[in-house]
Coordinates of all heavy atoms in Angstrom, one line a residue:
Chain A
G1215 N 5.2 -1.9 -25.4 CA 4.4 -1.6 -24.2 C 3.0 -1.3 -24.5 O 2.7 -0.7 -25.6
V1216 N 2.1 -1.7 -23.7 CA 0.6 -1.4 -23.9 C 0.1 -0.8 -22.6 O 0.2 -1.4 -21.5 CB -0.2 -2.7 -24.2 CG1 -1.6 -2.3 -24.6 CG2 0.5 -3.6 -25.2
L1217 N -0.5 0.4 -22.7 CA -1.1 1.1 -21.6 C -2.6 1.1 -21.7 O -3.1 1.6 -22.7 CB -0.6 2.5 -21.4 CG 0.9 2.7 -21.2 CD1 1.2 4.1 -20.9 CD2 1.4 1.8 -20.0
V1218 N -3.3 0.5 -20.8 CA -4.8 0.5 -20.9 C -5.4 1.0 -19.6 O -4.7 1.1 -18.6 CB -5.2 -1.0 -21.1 CG1 -4.7 -1.6 -22.3 CG2 -4.9 -1.9 -19.9
P1219 N -6.6 1.5 -19.7 CA -7.3 2.0 -18.5 C -7.6 0.9 -17.5 O -7.3 1.1 -16.3 CB -8.6 2.6 -19.1 CG -8.6 2.5 -20.6 CD -7.5 1.6 -20.9
R1220 N -8.2 -0.2 -18.0 CA -8.5 -1.3 -17.1 C -8.5 -2.6 -17.8 O -8.7 -2.6 -19.0 CB -10.0 -1.1 -16.5 CG -10.1 -0.4 -15.3 CD -11.5 -0.4 -14.8 NE -11.8 0.7 -13.8 CZ -11.4 0.6 -12.5 NH1 -10.8 -0.5 -12.0 NH2 -11.7 1.6 -11.7
F1225 N -14.2 -6.4 -24.1 CA -13.6 -5.6 -25.2 C -12.1 -5.5 -25.0 O -11.4 -5.8 -25.9 CB -14.2 -4.2 -25.2 CG -13.4 -3.2 -26.0 CD1 -13.1 -3.4 -27.3 CD2 -12.8 -2.1 -25.3 CE1 -12.3 -2.5 -28.0 CE2 -11.9 -1.3 -26.0 CZ -11.7 -1.4 -27.3
M1226 N -11.6 -5.1 -23.9 CA -10.2 -4.9 -23.7 C -9.4 -6.3 -23.8 O -8.4 -6.3 -24.3 CB -9.9 -4.2 -22.4 CG -8.5 -3.7 -22.3 SD -8.0 -2.6 -23.7 CE -8.7 -1.0 -23.1
V1229 N -9.1 -7.0 -27.4 CA -8.0 -6.2 -28.0 C -6.7 -6.8 -27.7 O -5.8 -7.0 -28.6 CB -8.1 -4.7 -27.5 CG1 -6.9 -4.0 -27.9 CG2 -9.4 -4.0 -28.0
L1230 N -6.4 -7.1 -26.4 CA -5.1 -7.6 -26.0 C -4.8 -9.0 -26.6 O -3.7 -9.3 -26.9 CB -5.0 -7.6 -24.5 CG -5.0 -6.2 -23.9 CD1 -5.2 -6.3 -22.4 CD2 -3.6 -5.6 -24.2
M1233 N -3.7 -8.2 -30.1 CA -2.3 -7.6 -30.1 C -1.3 -8.7 -29.8 O -0.3 -8.8 -30.5 CB -2.2 -6.6 -28.9 CG -3.0 -5.3 -29.2 SD -2.7 -4.1 -27.9 CE -3.4 -2.7 -28.6
I1246 N 2.3 -5.1 -20.5 CA 1.0 -4.4 -20.3 C 1.0 -3.7 -18.9 O 1.5 -4.3 -18.0 CB -0.2 -5.4 -20.4 CG1 -0.1 -6.1 -21.8 CG2 -1.5 -4.7 -20.3 CD1 -0.9 -7.4 -21.8
A1247 N 0.4 -2.5 -18.9 CA 0.2 -1.9 -17.6 C -1.2 -1.2 -17.6 O -1.6 -0.8 -18.7 CB 1.3 -0.9 -17.3
L1271 N 4.9 2.0 -28.3 CA 3.9 2.1 -27.3 C 2.5 2.1 -27.9 O 2.3 2.8 -28.9 CB 4.1 3.4 -26.5 CG 3.2 3.5 -25.2 CD1 3.7 2.6 -24.1 CD2 3.1 5.0 -24.8
L1272 N 1.6 1.3 -27.3 CA 0.2 1.3 -27.7 C -0.6 1.8 -26.5 O -0.3 1.3 -25.3 CB -0.2 -0.1 -28.0 CG 0.5 -0.7 -29.2 CD1 1.1 -2.1 -28.9 CD2 -0.3 -0.8 -30.5
I1273 N -1.4 2.8 -26.7 CA -2.1 3.3 -25.5 C -3.6 3.7 -25.7 O -3.9 4.2 -26.8 CB -1.3 4.6 -25.0 CG1 -2.0 5.2 -23.8 CG2 -1.2 5.6 -26.1 CD1 -1.2 6.3 -23.0
S1274 N -4.4 3.4 -24.7 CA -5.8 3.8 -24.7 C -5.9 4.6 -23.4 O -5.6 4.1 -22.3 CB -6.7 2.6 -24.7 OG -8.1 2.9 -24.7
L1275 N -6.4 5.8 -23.5 CA -6.3 6.8 -22.4 C -7.2 6.5 -21.2 O -8.3 6.0 -21.4 CB -6.5 8.2 -22.9 CG -5.5 8.7 -23.9 CD1 -5.9 10.0 -24.5 CD2 -4.1 8.9 -23.3
V1295 N 4.2 5.8 -31.2 CA 3.1 5.7 -30.3 C 1.8 5.4 -31.2 O 1.6 6.1 -32.1 CB 2.9 7.0 -29.5 CG1 1.6 6.9 -28.7 CG2 4.1 7.2 -28.6
V1296 N 1.1 4.4 -30.8 CA -0.2 4.1 -31.5 C -1.3 4.2 -30.4 O -1.3 3.6 -29.4 CB -0.2 2.7 -32.1 CG1 -1.6 2.4 -32.6 CG2 0.8 2.5 -33.2
F1297 N -2.3 5.1 -30.7 CA -3.4 5.2 -29.8 C -4.5 4.3 -30.3 O -4.7 4.1 -31.6 CB -4.0 6.6 -29.9 CG -3.2 7.7 -29.2 CD1 -2.3 8.4 -29.9 CD2 -3.3 7.9 -27.8 CE1 -1.5 9.4 -29.3 CE2 -2.5 8.8 -27.2 CZ -1.6 9.6 -27.9
F1298 N -5.2 3.6 -29.4 CA -6.4 2.8 -29.9 C -7.5 3.1 -28.9 O -7.4 3.4 -27.8 CB -6.0 1.3 -29.9 CG -5.6 0.7 -28.6 CD1 -6.6 0.1 -27.8 CD2 -4.3 0.8 -28.1 CE1 -6.3 -0.5 -26.6 CE2 -4.0 0.3 -26.8 CZ -5.0 -0.4 -26.1
D1299 N -8.7 3.0 -29.5 CA -10.0 3.2 -28.8 C -10.1 4.6 -28.2 O -10.8 5.4 -28.8 CB -10.2 2.1 -27.8 CG -11.7 2.1 -27.2 OD1 -12.6 2.2 -28.1 OD2 -11.9 2.1 -26.0
R1300 N -9.5 4.8 -27.1 CA -9.6 6.2 -26.5 C -8.3 6.9 -26.9 O -7.2 6.7 -26.4 CB -9.6 6.1 -25.0 CG -10.9 5.4 -24.5 CD -10.9 5.5 -23.0 NE -11.9 4.8 -22.3 CZ -11.9 4.7 -21.0 NH1 -10.9 5.3 -20.3 NH2 -12.8 4.1 -20.4
V1301 N -8.5 7.8 -27.9 CA -7.3 8.3 -28.6 C -7.1 9.8 -28.4 O -7.9 10.5 -27.7 CB -7.5 8.0 -30.1 CG1 -7.7 6.6 -30.4 CG2 -8.7 8.8 -30.7
Y1302 N -6.0 10.3 -28.9 CA -5.7 11.7 -28.8 C -5.0 12.1 -30.1 O -4.1 11.4 -30.5 CB -4.7 11.9 -27.6 CG -4.6 13.3 -27.0 CD1 -5.4 13.6 -25.9 CD2 -3.8 14.2 -27.6 CE1 -5.3 14.9 -25.3 CE2 -3.7 15.5 -27.0 CZ -4.5 15.8 -25.9 OH -4.4 17.1 -25.3
I1308 N -0.5 7.6 -34.6 CA -1.7 7.1 -35.4 C -2.7 6.7 -34.4 O -2.4 6.2 -33.3 CB -1.2 6.0 -36.3 CG1 -2.4 5.5 -37.2 CG2 -0.7 4.8 -35.5 CD1 -1.9 4.4 -38.2
S1309 N -4.0 6.8 -34.8 CA -5.1 6.3 -34.0 C -5.9 5.2 -34.7 O -6.1 5.3 -35.9 CB -6.1 7.4 -33.7 OG -5.5 8.5 -33.0
V1310 N -6.2 4.1 -33.9 CA -7.1 3.1 -34.4 C -8.3 3.1 -33.6 O -8.3 3.0 -32.4 CB -6.4 1.7 -34.3 CG1 -7.2 0.6 -35.0 CG2 -5.0 1.7 -34.9
V1311 N -9.4 3.4 -34.3 CA -10.7 3.5 -33.7 C -11.8 2.8 -34.4 O -11.6 2.4 -35.6 CB -11.1 5.0 -33.6 CG1 -10.3 5.8 -32.6 CG2 -11.1 5.7 -34.9
I1312 N -13.0 2.6 -33.8 CA -14.2 2.2 -34.6 C -14.9 3.5 -34.9 O -14.7 4.6 -34.2 CB -15.1 1.2 -33.9 CG1 -15.6 1.8 -32.6 CG2 -14.3 -0.1 -33.6 CD1 -16.9 1.1 -32.1
N1343 N -12.9 10.6 -26.7 CA -13.5 10.6 -28.0 C -14.6 9.5 -28.1 O -15.7 9.8 -28.7 CB -12.5 10.2 -29.1 CG -11.8 8.9 -28.8 OD1 -11.2 8.7 -27.8 ND2 -11.9 8.0 -29.8
V1344 N -14.4 8.3 -27.5 CA -15.4 7.3 -27.7 C -16.8 7.7 -27.2 O -17.8 7.5 -27.8 CB -15.0 5.9 -27.1 CG1 -13.8 5.3 -27.8 CG2 -14.6 6.1 -25.6
Y1446 N -18.2 -4.7 -31.3 CA -17.0 -4.0 -31.3 C -15.8 -5.0 -31.5 O -15.6 -5.9 -30.7 CB -16.8 -3.4 -29.9 CG -15.9 -2.2 -29.9 CD1 -16.2 -1.1 -29.1 CD2 -14.7 -2.2 -30.6 CE1 -15.3 0.0 -29.1 CE2 -13.9 -1.1 -30.5 CZ -14.2 0.0 -29.8 OH -13.4 1.1 -29.7
G1448 N -12.9 -6.0 -31.2 CA -11.7 -5.7 -30.4 C -10.4 -6.5 -30.9 O -9.4 -5.9 -31.0
M1451 N -9.1 -4.8 -33.9 CA -8.4 -3.5 -33.5 C -7.0 -3.8 -33.0 O -6.1 -3.1 -33.4 CB -9.3 -2.8 -32.5 CG -8.6 -1.5 -32.0 SD -9.7 -0.6 -30.9 CE -10.7 0.3 -32.1
G1452 N -6.9 -4.7 -32.1 CA -5.6 -5.0 -31.5 C -4.6 -5.5 -32.5 O -3.5 -5.1 -32.6
I1454 N -4.7 -4.9 -35.8 CA -4.3 -3.8 -36.7 C -3.3 -2.8 -36.0 O -2.3 -2.4 -36.7 CB -5.6 -3.1 -37.2 CG1 -6.3 -4.0 -38.2 CG2 -5.2 -1.8 -37.8 CD1 -7.6 -3.5 -38.7
A1455 N -3.6 -2.5 -34.8 CA -2.7 -1.6 -34.1 C -1.3 -2.1 -34.0 O -0.3 -1.4 -34.3 CB -3.3 -1.3 -32.7
V1456 N -1.1 -3.4 -33.6 CA 0.2 -3.9 -33.5 C 0.9 -4.2 -34.8 O 2.1 -3.9 -35.0 CB 0.2 -5.3 -32.7 CG1 1.4 -6.1 -32.9 CG2 0.0 -4.9 -31.2
I1475 N -7.0 5.0 -38.4 CA -7.6 3.9 -39.1 C -9.0 3.7 -38.4 O -9.0 3.6 -37.1 CB -6.7 2.6 -38.9 CG1 -5.4 2.9 -39.7 CG2 -7.5 1.4 -39.4 CD1 -4.4 1.7 -39.5

Side-chain angles (χ1 to χ4, degrees):
Chain A
V1216 190
L1217 299 186
V1218 301
R1220 267 187 200 280
F1225 159 66
M1226 195 53 83
V1229 169
L1230 289 167
M1233 288 184 170
I1246 304 160
L1271 187 74
L1272 300 129
I1273 179 168
S1274 181
L1275 296 172
V1295 174
V1296 174
F1297 290 95
F1298 63 96
D1299 191 46
R1300 297 188 187 172
V1301 304
Y1302 200 98
I1308 184 177
S1309 294
V1310 185
V1311 289
I1312 62 160
N1343 62 299
V1344 290
Y1446 203 138
M1451 176 174 280
I1454 287 179
V1456 162
I1475 295 176

